[in-house]
Amino acid sequence: MMRNADRILKRGLALACMMLAASAALAHEPVAKCFLLNDTTVRCRGVTNDDDPLPGARMEVIAHDGKTLIEGKLDANSTLTFKKPAQPFYVLFDTGPGLQSVVEQDEITAPPPGRAPSWLRKP
């Protein structure tokens, strides 16, 4: 009888640990947002899904043929500003194995009028 109770307790503890680990991993998923500052300049911000900044994290601008066009690290405001490439591209925000966020070129637009995030207003 005691062995059954021990087995159930161990399984319950293992399940609880897995759920805690999964929720901790979800709390730090990368999120990238990009907007046009003007016709030729893009600014992207990389944060966690909790909106925690990630200065120093890597962000790349990649052509659809796979060639890396721009590679940089996020500044103190967790942003990367770059000249908009002439060819089709996407932005890859990569914070580690399996932790990536992608922004496609057609998702990059001007910010909503009067509602630009503060990180767009900073130089």
Side-chain angles (χ1 to χ4, degrees):
M1 183 86 159
M2 191 60 151
R3 281 190 172 192
N4 234 1
D6 285 344
R7 199 174 315 153
I8 291 171
L9 181 61
K10 286 181 182 177
R11 285 183 182 168
L13 285 173
L15 180 61
C17 288
M18 288 189 309
M19 289 174 64
L20 283 173
S23 66
L26 291 176
H28 299 290
E29 290 182 18
V31 176
K33 297 176 185 174
C34 299
F35 289 103
L36 290 171
L37 293 180
N38 55 45
D39 289 341
T40 61
T41 309
V42 176
R43 180 169 294 157
C44 296
R45 183 166 195 243
V47 295
T48 68
N49 60 338
D50 292 333
D51 207 32
D52 293 329
L54 294 169
R58 188 170 59 103
M59 191 173 276
E60 294 178 77
V61 179
I62 302 172
H64 283 186
D65 67 5
K67 179 183 175 192
T68 299
L69 302 172
I70 300 165
E71 186 173 4
K73 291 191 177 191
L74 301 181
D75 64 16
N77 294 318
S78 216
T79 63
L80 179 70
T81 304
F82 57 91
K83 183 178 177 187
K84 182 180 171 186
Q87 65 212 75
F89 69 94
Y90 63 94
V91 176
L92 174 65
F93 180 43
D94 186 353
T95 61
L99 298 172
Q100 299 175 338
S101 179
V102 173
V103 179
E104 294 290 342
Q105 178 180 355
D106 61 355
E107 297 175 69
I108 302 172
T109 61
R115 298 184 58 215
S118 62
W119 55 269
L120 279 176
R121 295 187 292 265
K122 295 177 183 172

